[in-house]
Amino acid sequence: VRSEEHELPTHRLFDYKESVYHSDFQSSLPNDDLFVPITDLVIWVDPLDGTQEYTEGLNEYVSVMICIVLHDHPIAGIIHQPFLNKTYWGWGSYALSSDLQMAVNSRPVHSLKNDLSITYSRSHLNESLIKDLTKLVYPKPVHFIPAGGAGFKAISLIKGDADVYIHPSTTRRWDVCAPQAILESVGGRLTGLHGSPLGFGSKSSPGIQSEMGLFAAADRVLYDRWNTKIYDFFKT
């Protein structure tokens, strides 16, 4: 288990009982048992995503996130928004929570949009970068949406409130593991700015450096359309 409180792996044994499963999850369990060696699994936990926003009373940005990793890759993620009473979880191609399915169903068709909406961390894009990104996207109109919490921004992509998420700065793996798992469960992508996988194994360092950064979209077409342009922009 890797978390903000435990940067080094901790190992515990749990007695899981069927009765403690969330009803959404219980109803979607496959008929076949799935067994993998426990040593192949890593769990990343972020007990308070959006810490700064929580101290400012911006509770809509606050999430609790859990991510299950198999062979370095996120396979299931949970983003719980306690102040909004929403729980989004995705388990690969097996199942989505009802809240996540509703978010997917509410997303508009991007091919019908004439503009581009970029969400970013509230403190990580300055006026100069915003002006230059506007020129990059021109003649397509662009809207910039500052937000707190990686979990909130991932859900905003899935709901269609934003098209892409850009983070050209440092972050932590527990901040983005569950968002990546959930985005991939609905057909999206979250990678480094240059498209490389992040890696979430037990030996992975907690930090993701600014040279790596983040780029995400809930739609593969949007991801492919903008990833190279955005990476080239920050590379120069």
Side-chain angles (χ1 to χ4, degrees):
V1 177
R2 308 290 300 274
S3 76
E4 197 164 0
E5 279 67 36
H6 303 282
E7 291 199 5
L8 296 177
T10 59
H11 301 83
R12 298 179 184 176
L13 295 177
F14 298 91
D15 180 18
Y16 289 109
K17 297 180 180 178
E18 189 173 292
S19 60
V20 303
Y21 288 138
H22 188 281
S23 58
D24 280 349
F25 183 76
Q26 176 66 38
S27 63
S28 60
L29 287 172
N31 293 326
D32 297 330
D33 292 330
L34 301 178
F35 291 101
V36 296
I38 195 169
T39 53
D40 290 347
L41 296 174
V42 179
I43 299 175
W44 291 83
V45 179
D46 189 350
L48 183 59
D49 180 48
T51 307
Q52 179 62 39
E53 287 70 27
Y54 179 69
T55 65
E56 298 175 14
L58 302 174
N59 294 334
E60 67 271 23
Y61 295 129
V62 174
S63 301
V64 178
M65 302 195 294
I66 302 172
C67 181
I68 301 173
V69 173
L70 176 64
H71 299 151
D72 289 358
H73 192 85
I75 60 170
I78 303 169
I79 298 175
H80 175 61
Q81 297 176 324
F83 296 100
L84 300 179
N85 195 29
K86 297 287 186 180
T87 302
Y88 304 91
W89 61 259
W91 180 19
S93 61
Y94 285 109
L96 311 178
S97 70
S98 56
D99 284 334
L100 184 55
Q101 188 64 63
M102 289 176 62
V104 172
N105 293 342
S106 69
R107 189 168 67 214
V109 179
H110 286 292
S111 61
L112 301 180
K113 294 185 63 177
N114 294 318
D115 59 351
L116 180 71
S117 298
I118 298 174
T119 188
Y120 63 97
S121 296
R122 295 165 64 222
S123 58
H124 288 154
L125 285 187
N126 56 40
E127 290 186 9
S128 176
L129 280 175
I130 288 176
K131 185 180 296 185
D132 290 341
L133 280 169
T134 301
K135 293 178 181 178
L136 176 71
V137 175
Y138 182 84
K140 183 183 284 289
V142 59
H143 306 283
F144 293 91
I145 306 171
F152 179 91
K153 289 189 279 287
I155 298 303
S156 72
L157 294 178
I158 294 170
K159 293 167 65 177
D161 296 335
D163 298 320
V164 298
Y165 168 31
I166 298 173
H167 187 86
S169 185
T170 59
T171 188
R172 297 284 186 165
R173 279 180 166 78
W174 49 70
D175 287 321
V176 295
C177 187
Q180 179 177 332
I182 289 178
L183 281 167
E184 290 185 352
S185 72
V186 299
R189 289 200 73 190
L190 187 153
T191 65
L193 274 174
H194 52 306
S196 61
L198 300 175
F200 294 91
S202 60
K203 296 182 180 179
S204 299
S205 65
I208 297 173
Q209 301 305 311
S210 57
E211 294 80 10
M212 173 74 76
L214 300 174
F215 183 80
D219 182 298
R220 294 295 180 102
V221 174
L222 273 173
Y223 178 93
D224 293 339
R225 182 182 302 163
W226 292 105
N227 176 237
T228 300
K229 289 183 179 180
I230 296 298
Y231 170 63
D232 289 343
F233 169 80
F234 283 104
K235 184 175 66 174
T236 57

